Amino acid sequence: MGKALGLGKAVGPPKIITRSMKTKNGGIIDRGIPDAKNPRRPHQIPPLPDHPHRPRHPPPPRRHPPRAPLPDPSTKSTALQKLTYLSSLHPPIDPSFASFHAIELLPSSPPFKRPSYLFISLTFPSSHDLLLLLPNQLRKDLSSPNHPNASLALQFLASRASSDLARDLTPEIFTLLNSSKPILRRKATSALVGVFTACPDSVRVCFKRLVENLDSSDDAGVLSAAVGVFCELSRTDPASYLPLVPEFYRVFVDAKRNNWVLIKILKIFARLCPIEPRLARRVVEPVCDLMRRTMAKSVLLECIRTVFSSLADYEHAVELAVEKNKELLGCDEDANLRYLGLHALSLLGSERYPAAVMECKETIIKSLSDADPNIRRESLRLVMGMVSEGNLVEISRILVGYASKSDPDFCNEIFGSILSVCARNFYELVVDFDWYVSLLGEIARNVNCRHGEEVERQLVDIGMRVEDSRMELVSVARELLMDPALLGNPLLDRVLSAAAWVSGEYVRFSRNPFELVEALLQPRTDFLPPLVRAVYVQSTFKVLVFCLRSYLLQSERESSGESDLEVGDGELNLVGKKREKRKEIFTYESMKYLLDLVETAFGPLLECSDVEILERTRNVLGLVRVVREIQGQNVENEEGFKEGLKMCEIVEFIDAAFSEELGPVSGSAQERVIVPDGLVLRKDLSILDTILPNEDLSLSESFSLRSNKFKEVGWVSQPQTQNNDEPELPSESTSLLVEHRRRHGLYYLPTECENSVPNDYPPANEPLSLLPGSVDATENDLARLAEQSLVSKKPKQVKPRPVVVKLDGDEVSVSAEKLKKDSRETLLSGVVQDVLLGEERKPESSRKKSSDKSSRRRVKDVLKDGETISELQEHVSDGQRQRSRRHKHRTHKEGSSHRSLSKDDDPHSKHKSGERANCPANLNVQSPVIQDFLL
Amino acid sequence: MIRAVIVMNTQGQPRLTKFYEYQTPEKQHEIIRQVFEVLRNRAENVSNFIQADAICGPDTQLVYKHLATLYFVFAFDSSENELAMLDLIQVFVETLDKCFKNVCELDIVFNFNKMHTVLDEIIFGGQVLETSSEEVMKVVEEIAKLEKSSSAISLVPKYISRR
């Protein structure tokens, strides 16, 4: 107790000294350090030391510092400034610990106020807890007589307002919107963007003054700010601002010199014209005029863009804009103008104005080799926009030429756009698939190419969809496989995997299958990742089976004479020309060599740790052993070998399995599988949702595993029984399944995964061979689907375009994703419409009254209004009905207040309103409102 | 609107940053780093615009100006005109030049607060406020005067505070 008292005594004096010094000296020598000569004289102010910042003696050590002395505003402010500097320029510093100190400093005098405002506006998010402490201070500052203070508060509100803050301070902002100081009016107007977004209800209070500021003639800045606000607001929901079109138009006509205002108004017009065709008709001439006479490049650019994007229906305007755009494109010394010119041109789109883009073709092609990456990219986009069936080959040739000359990044951009344009809508532009396939090969061989996956996808996809291209495809694949240099490049693994698959699947189109086997077995394949290697092994298997079968057929034919040829293997007939050559290839020696080669190459793979490779290798080696050993003794001579092969039906079986066509898989294939009775797919998954609301279940893998299992079972056991069993399987064990589902729901397919079965060919999980009878229900379905939806050829081509197989489900898979609008935005536009329509409804005389009233009323009332939005909207629609009855009367009245608009249009008004009566259905709700102003 | 203003030197050290939409300190750091990565790889005499959707969010472009040892970078969306933004950088730099008499990187390092004051009079909450450097200078001087006078009232005489 006593100690505590003593402590209090010891601490007291310096504190008093501090206080007294502060009051007298404004806190400059606040160290809490007594003069060394007169240690403690609480009631007397010590004389100032010679060097107030460096006391001659160190301060006596304090033994029990109860708490750190409160620093004065100056010290605090300096510290805060340091922290602001550090946190803003070395961002990983978290400055939030000082938040409270910053707020403490807000009420102090201007030199300290500014740093603390700077601190909070740089570091506070609009969800900061301490924002609750601000409203009173901000209110004081907003209504302070000197404008820098009010500016600071507005500045903070403009960028960091929370909805509460914005709501609480709306009345102050409303007052400032009418301030006598233009600079405050300007800032208050600009701040409205942030305030409206944070608190849509403030629109009801401030909107009228915002619109009035569009009229302000005394300060150009206020007008500019107001237009800027509307430009910002109209970005999210332009339709709400249609009723203000007359105002915008007047500003546009009046603002002859102010380029900033012109640009913003043009931006607003560009957004409004597509929704309101009558506005487009009105502004097209003024915009053209402006384009002709303006000296400012920025305004010119904005005009060109407005015409290209929103006034493209008016040919003369487009012609003029293209003409002016050429001037921009011709500026050799200014890369900015060339870039922006090209960018604007891409807005026009070559579909609607191919001639306009073609006119600039020279410039565009030249720009492909520009030093500026922006310009190159834009010109590439334009070039790709020009592509058509007729010029695809030509353009691709030019582009690939440019690609080989340019840097890796741009080279890949070129390849990427070629690939995407050609693959668009199932290769609709590609006529000559032989050419395209060899182009794919060329792209893949480019050293810089990073589009391996896309090339892989397309090689396989074309193989499955376009039957006529397979011959060329195999020869391209062969070249890719044979080149040992490609094997070391990890970027090309995917391409090689596709090439290997293609060469295995379509080996019957190959000129020399032995070459393929050699390529597939070359030693450098060790560099490949296991998944690709597995594809290689499987392809070898297919080629091997094909060779054995061909050899067998050939020897059969030889023994039974030439007449048999036509009845022989259909596939061989397809490539009849090669028959002669091939006959020489499949000899006993070559077969023996082949078997030896496979055996030597695959021997080491039996030690492989990757199960996929191991399993497939075993299959191949198993086949080799069967061929060699089943007939044991007489395999060593040619006749014996032949006999053995004939006896051994396995080769025929496997070959038959491989010759089953693999079609493309529709994106919606899974949906078509009939759910067996008693299989509950949805019920348990809803339970799952509650347990694991956000768990991402990637189950496509488990799906393919399951289907593989079914297939393998079908292959090993008797196919017939399996087929019969399958549909019954679930119904027999429904209860078990349901039980299992309940326990291990996690491992089951979620319902929403159903339609997302990938369309790609999965290389590693390639199903093992299927006997024709054992195709399960899914496969049958798919095969039928593929047959059903063949697309007819395009007739006019000289060389007929080959058939590209499409599945009717493919288009469906592109789900139209609805853009979810931010609820706050919709709220905002709702309120804006509300205010605008409500405002229009009121007669002119009552406007003033209501604005006065609203200035007095507090936000509480506003909120009450906000609760009845829906009611209000009902009123609005009622009001519109009434209004249309009063139509004539109003036209007259508005005409007088908007002279600039209506002066030359009176004769048309009847005609226009007649037009409206004819087509009221497709007009917007607001359309009747502008009707009056515009005409 | 204008989303951010970044001034950094050619080594990638930020000298002035202002984000008009709140970004966490980490995100700010990341944006500055990425912007610098893009800028350092650009040659001289190429266009001054960069599509920055990947860096600052969708519908963003950067415009930059390389002056002496500094990059002046503005990030903005489709509500602003590119060439106008380029002009605005010019206005900003001109104002700084008037403010500091031949501005250089050191001025910017040592006058952090003044930089912000100037910038706030040109861009207000992401909206362009004033485009004439004379007007901006007038306001900035007015503010400086006000602060001086109020500090004179409340603080010790100058002969002490200066020492």
Side-chain angles (χ1 to χ4, degrees):
Chain A
M1 186 69 187
K3 210 174 184 183
L5 278 174
L7 192 138
K9 232 188 233 166
V11 168
K15 253 165 105 186
I16 294 167
I17 289 173
T18 314
R19 294 262 162 80
S20 59
M21 282 172 76
K22 208 162 72 184
T23 46
K24 282 280 176 185
N25 300 328
I28 274 300
I29 26 172
D30 167 46
R31 292 289 179 274
I33 307 153
D35 195 321
K37 285 175 186 165
N38 311 316
R40 276 179 201 161
R41 290 167 65 187
H43 302 297
Q44 199 184 335
I45 303 154
L48 287 171
D50 292 346
H51 299 282
H53 297 286
R54 283 183 289 131
R56 272 167 297 185
H57 301 285
R62 251 189 238 158
R63 232 170 281 160
H64 308 287
R67 58 183 179 126
L70 280 176
D72 68 325
S74 155
T75 317
K76 226 177 196 177
S77 175
T78 313
L80 201 62
Q81 287 182 44
K82 287 177 185 169
L83 184 64
T84 317
Y85 182 87
L86 288 175
S87 70
S88 132
L89 300 186
H90 302 274
I93 292 174
D94 182 14
S96 55
F97 68 90
S99 304
F100 190 75
H101 298 283
I103 290 179
E104 268 184 330
L105 272 181
L106 281 184
S108 49
S109 62
F112 308 134
K113 192 191 277 294
R114 183 166 285 274
S116 60
Y117 263 113
L118 181 62
F119 179 83
I120 62 172
S121 67
L122 284 182
T123 58
F124 277 27
S126 53
S127 57
H128 203 289
D129 295 339
L130 292 181
L131 286 185
L132 285 175
L133 300 174
L134 286 181
N136 270 324
Q137 182 56 39
L138 286 178
R139 189 170 290 142
K140 219 188 277 171
D141 283 337
L142 283 175
S143 40
S144 107
N146 65 2
H147 81 83
N149 284 357
S151 298
L152 286 171
L154 277 175
Q155 172 99 35
F156 177 72
L157 274 181
S159 50
R160 299 287 188 264
S162 67
S163 65
D164 289 343
L165 216 50
R167 197 185 54 227
D168 291 346
L169 296 170
T170 303
E172 276 71 27
I173 296 172
F174 177 76
T175 324
L176 283 179
L177 280 176
N178 225 3
S179 157
S180 58
K181 290 178 187 132
I183 187 154
L184 276 186
R185 202 145 27 110
R186 202 190 290 182
K187 286 181 174 174
T189 311
S190 282
L192 284 180
V193 181
V195 173
F196 283 176
T197 341
C199 171
D201 277 322
S202 58
V203 171
R204 290 174 204 284
V205 180
C206 300
F207 203 76
K208 200 181 305 296
R209 286 215 172 147
L210 175 61
V211 177
E212 279 164 14
N213 278 343
L214 281 177
D215 288 320
S216 71
S217 46
D218 55 334
D219 187 70
V222 178
L223 171 67
S224 172
V227 174
V229 171
F230 279 114
C231 181
E232 200 59 47
L233 292 176
S234 67
R235 211 162 82 92
T236 44
D237 176 36
S240 303
Y241 303 92
L242 275 177
L244 291 170
V245 159
E247 306 283 338
F248 296 146
Y249 185 81
R250 189 186 48 69
V251 173
F252 178 60
V253 174
D254 290 350
K256 298 252 185 258
R257 293 263 161 252
N258 193 335
N259 290 337
W260 289 88
V261 172
L262 282 175
I263 288 171
K264 291 281 177 179
I265 285 280
L266 282 169
K267 292 245 181 222
I268 297 177
F269 282 163
R271 285 166 192 157
L272 294 183
C273 284
I275 352 176
E276 180 50 65
R278 285 170 300 170
L279 173 65
R281 215 178 305 146
R282 286 286 304 177
V283 299
V284 63
E285 277 315 315
V287 169
C288 286
D289 273 352
L290 183 62
M291 219 173 346
R292 281 191 206 101
R293 78 186 139 79
T294 185
M295 300 302 287
K297 287 276 187 287
S298 51
V299 177
L300 178 62
L301 175 72
E302 206 52 57
C303 288
I304 292 173
R305 272 203 293 225
T306 308
V307 170
F308 282 171
S309 64
S310 310
L311 301 171
D313 293 334
Y314 299 88
E315 273 181 37
H316 66 284
V318 173
E319 273 168 32
L320 180 65
V322 168
E323 209 51 48
K324 289 282 174 186
N325 200 25
K326 270 189 200 159
E327 285 175 21
L328 296 184
L329 291 177
C331 288
D332 280 336
E333 70 281 1
D334 194 343
N336 286 331
L337 293 183
R338 271 182 290 146
Y339 163 65
L340 293 172
L342 286 172
H343 189 74
L345 205 56
S346 67
L347 288 178
L348 187 59
S350 45
E351 292 89 30
R352 298 185 61 189
Y353 282 92
V357 181
M358 280 301 184
E359 264 182 67
C360 311
K361 195 179 167 189
E362 301 286 301
T363 327
I364 296 170
I365 299 280
K366 205 178 76 191
S367 307
L368 275 177
S369 49
D370 200 284
D372 190 339
N374 284 348
I375 295 181
R376 277 182 308 198
R377 200 169 304 135
E378 282 306 323
S379 55
L380 175 63
R381 249 172 70 186
L382 283 167
V383 168
M384 290 331 276
M386 286 193 272
V387 167
S388 70
E389 242 171 60
N391 60 13
L392 178 70
V393 179
E394 169 90 354
I395 287 182
S396 304
R397 192 180 51 77
I398 295 174
L399 285 181
V400 172
Y402 273 106
S404 55
K405 278 183 282 179
S406 49
D407 59 303
D409 283 340
F410 188 58
C411 173
N412 274 302
E413 257 172 70
I414 292 182
F415 287 154
S417 52
I418 292 180
L419 288 173
S420 67
V421 164
C422 290
R424 192 171 60 203
N425 203 7
F426 305 104
Y427 316 96
E428 64 175 356
L429 293 176
V430 181
V431 178
D432 184 356
F433 275 90
D434 289 354
W435 161 80
Y436 184 55
V437 167
S438 52
L439 179 73
L440 284 180
E442 200 180 325
I443 288 177
R445 280 162 170 279
N446 190 303
V447 233
N448 295 322
C449 175
R450 287 196 292 266
H451 290 281
E453 277 182 43
E454 182 61 18
V455 174
E456 175 208 25
R457 193 191 69 76
Q458 293 195 13
L459 282 176
V460 173
D461 200 42
I462 291 175
M464 289 195 291
R465 289 183 195 272
V466 191
E467 211 180 326
D468 295 2
S469 72
R470 287 176 188 166
M471 178 111 71
E472 181 65 23
L473 201 58
V474 171
S475 80
V476 167
R478 172 182 157 270
E479 275 163 34
L480 287 172
L481 290 176
M482 302 244 307
D483 192 347
L486 299 182
L487 277 166
N489 185 353
L491 293 172
L492 283 175
D493 288 345
R494 307 292 302 265
V495 180
L496 290 177
S497 140
W501 182 80
V502 163
S503 61
E505 184 66 22
Y506 306 116
V507 60
R508 57 183 183 277
F509 297 101
S510 157
R511 276 171 211 161
N512 188 349
F514 296 105
E515 261 180 10
L516 282 180
V517 175
E518 278 167 11
L520 289 169
L521 296 179
Q522 60 183 300
R524 280 175 70 93
T525 51
D526 286 343
F527 293 121
L528 292 170
L531 284 182
V532 180
R533 193 77 205 269
V535 180
Y536 266 64
V537 177
Q538 185 71 6
S539 295
T540 316
F541 191 23
K542 288 180 187 168
V543 178
L544 178 64
V545 170
F546 173 77
C547 290
L548 287 171
R549 167 101 171 119
S550 306
Y551 175 67
L552 209 58
L553 279 175
Q554 186 188 319
S555 55
E556 262 173 32
R557 249 181 251 122
E558 271 167 8
S559 56
S560 62
E562 292 294 302
S563 57
D564 245 7
L565 251 176
E566 297 309 310
V567 238
D569 195 354
E571 287 152 16
L572 278 177
N573 283 341
L574 269 178
V575 279
K577 286 175 196 167
K578 312 272 156 22
R579 208 189 299 137
E580 293 303 315
K581 212 177 168 189
R582 193 173 273 178
K583 204 188 274 178
E584 294 152 25
I585 295 172
F586 298 114
T587 59
Y588 172 65
E589 282 74 30
S590 63
M591 297 316 289
K592 206 160 171 298
Y593 165 71
L594 187 64
L595 291 176
D596 287 342
L597 182 67
V598 169
E599 217 165 23
T600 8
F602 280 173
L605 282 185
L606 285 175
E607 316 280 307
C608 179
S609 59
D610 188 90
V611 281
E612 202 64 50
I613 299 177
L614 191 62
E615 190 180 357
R616 293 178 187 204
T617 313
R618 287 227 170 118
N619 286 341
V620 180
L621 289 179
L623 178 73
V624 172
R625 202 178 315 129
V626 165
V627 168
R628 281 203 163 154
E629 289 174 10
I630 280 190
Q631 305 298 324
Q633 63 281 29
N634 53 7
V635 112
E636 287 309 319
N637 64 56
E638 189 176 346
E639 285 306 313
F641 183 65
K642 261 184 213 168
E643 287 306 310
L645 270 184
K646 259 181 240 170
M647 298 284 285
C648 160
E649 288 172 336
I650 190 160
V651 173
E652 238 165 279
F653 275 135
I654 297 176
D655 186 59
F658 280 153
S659 59
E660 181 74 24
E661 282 264 315
L662 286 177
V665 180
S666 156
S668 58
Q670 178 77 24
E671 282 172 8
R672 292 166 196 269
V673 180
I674 304 150
V675 181
D677 295 335
L679 183 62
V680 189
L681 276 180
R682 289 165 204 281
K683 193 175 143 199
D684 292 313
L685 291 167
S686 61
I687 300 171
L688 188 66
D689 278 348
T690 57
I691 304 166
L692 301 158
N694 292 321
E695 199 76 16
D696 182 28
L697 300 170
S698 62
L699 281 161
S700 59
E701 218 174 9
S702 69
F703 166 71
S704 62
L705 272 178
R706 202 188 60 161
S707 66
N708 269 357
K709 209 171 87 193
F710 270 130
K711 285 165 192 167
E712 273 171 51
V713 167
W715 186 50
V716 175
S717 70
Q718 289 98 338
Q720 302 301 327
T721 48
Q722 172 63 27
N723 230 5
N724 293 342
D725 277 351
E726 206 192 340
E728 288 167 26
L729 187 74
S731 58
E732 271 175 13
S733 52
T734 307
S735 57
L736 273 176
L737 258 179
V738 171
E739 182 59 27
H740 190 263
R741 230 164 232 285
R742 194 157 291 148
R743 281 197 199 153
H744 307 282
L746 182 65
Y747 303 106
Y748 278 79
L749 268 174
T751 40
E752 61 269 22
C753 273
E754 267 182 28
N755 50 6
S756 65
V757 178
N759 203 359
D760 309 309
Y761 163 72
N765 296 335
E766 183 181 17
L768 285 176
S769 51
L770 293 168
L771 286 176
S774 72
V775 181
D776 63 13
T778 323
E779 291 281 320
N780 261 335
D781 245 15
L782 286 177
R784 216 173 42 234
L785 276 173
E787 281 160 26
Q788 277 169 7
S789 52
L790 292 180
V791 171
S792 61
K793 298 172 182 181
K794 290 201 175 177
K796 58 179 178 178
Q797 309 301 335
V798 186
K799 182 181 174 185
R801 185 171 186 265
V803 180
V804 181
V805 179
K806 286 188 209 172
L807 301 177
D808 39 0
D810 281 346
E811 279 91 341
V812 184
S813 64
V814 189
S815 60
E817 231 181 69
K818 255 193 164 179
L819 277 173
K820 215 177 149 190
K821 255 195 164 181
D822 189 7
S823 63
R824 190 164 269 179
E825 270 168 22
T826 42
L827 200 59
L828 175 60
S829 57
V831 178
V832 169
Q833 285 178 15
D834 219 27
V835 168
L836 277 173
L837 293 178
E839 187 179 298
E840 302 300 338
R841 215 150 42 98
K842 281 173 204 152
E844 202 69 37
S845 57
S846 74
R847 275 198 195 181
K848 276 239 161 64
K849 224 171 32 182
S850 77
S851 73
D852 288 347
K853 223 194 297 169
S854 58
S855 71
R856 254 176 277 126
R857 80 178 167 186
R858 303 297 292 186
V859 190
K860 284 270 159 65
D861 308 55
V862 175
L863 270 184
K864 241 179 255 164
D865 285 0
E867 284 162 14
T868 58
I869 293 179
S870 56
E871 258 181 62
L872 259 175
Q873 273 163 352
E874 278 175 34
H875 287 310
V876 168
S877 53
D878 284 349
Q880 272 171 3
R881 254 173 266 138
Q882 286 171 16
R883 249 169 30 77
S884 58
R885 258 181 266 135
R886 296 193 311 235
H887 178 64
K888 257 194 181 156
H889 176 66
R890 277 180 57 81
T891 313
H892 175 70
K893 200 185 229 158
E894 299 296 344
S896 62
S897 64
H898 297 276
R899 257 164 284 134
S900 61
L901 268 177
S902 54
K903 58 188 171 192
D904 53 357
D905 265 15
D906 278 349
H908 301 292
S909 65
K910 256 184 197 164
H911 167 68
K912 296 275 168 69
S913 59
E915 200 176 83
R916 180 172 63 98
N918 288 341
C919 51
N922 52 5
L923 283 180
N924 209 302
V925 189
Q926 290 90 30
S927 300
V929 183
I930 9 164
Q931 172 77 23
D932 302 334
F933 295 108
L934 271 176
L935 306 177
Chain B
M1 72 183 280
I2 297 167
R3 298 207 169 150
V5 173
I6 301 170
V7 179
M8 61 170 98
N9 68 5
T10 38
Q11 264 86 54
Q13 284 167 318
R15 292 301 183 204
L16 172 81
T17 58
K18 178 128 193 171
F19 290 83
Y20 291 98
E21 286 163 343
Y22 178 76
Q23 309 283 357
T24 59
E26 293 78 20
K27 176 80 180 156
Q28 290 185 16
H29 189 63
E30 185 59 25
I31 289 176
I32 293 168
R33 203 184 54 73
Q34 288 181 353
V35 167
F36 179 64
E37 273 313 301
V38 178
L39 289 185
R40 71 190 293 188
N41 290 325
R42 286 182 76 85
E44 291 289 324
N45 299 326
V46 296
S47 57
N48 298 84
F49 306 105
I50 299 162
Q51 291 292 340
D53 304 50
I55 303 173
C56 312
D59 186 25
T60 322
Q61 281 194 73
L62 300 180
V63 54
Y64 70 96
K65 219 164 201 183
H66 183 186
L67 296 164
T69 56
L70 291 170
Y71 286 117
F72 290 81
V73 189
F74 284 14
F76 58 96
D77 64 15
S78 62
S79 292
E80 306 290 340
N81 182 295
E82 290 87 345
L83 292 173
M85 285 299 108
L86 205 56
D87 281 351
L88 199 65
I89 294 188
Q90 188 60 35
V91 170
F92 184 44
V93 175
E94 267 174 30
T95 318
L96 292 181
D97 212 34
K98 279 183 189 152
C99 216
F100 301 117
K101 311 271 180 305
N102 238 336
V103 63
C104 69
E105 193 180 340
L106 272 186
D107 291 321
I108 291 173
V109 174
F110 285 119
N111 293 285
F112 180 74
N113 281 4
K114 191 151 192 185
M115 288 283 290
H116 272 284
T117 313
V118 172
L119 182 63
D120 287 351
E121 294 307 319
I122 297 176
I123 302 170
F124 185 89
Q127 304 292 313
V128 179
L129 187 74
E130 178 59 68
T131 53
S132 132
S133 54
E134 284 84 17
E135 293 296 319
V136 176
M137 280 310 293
K138 256 187 233 166
V139 181
V140 170
E141 274 159 17
E142 198 181 330
I143 292 172
K145 215 186 279 172
L146 179 88
E147 288 186 2
K148 230 179 216 171
S149 64
S150 57
S151 65
I153 295 165
S154 60
L155 296 183
V156 284
K158 275 179 193 162
Y159 67 89
I160 293 176
S161 66
R162 266 196 198 147
R163 263 190 260 175

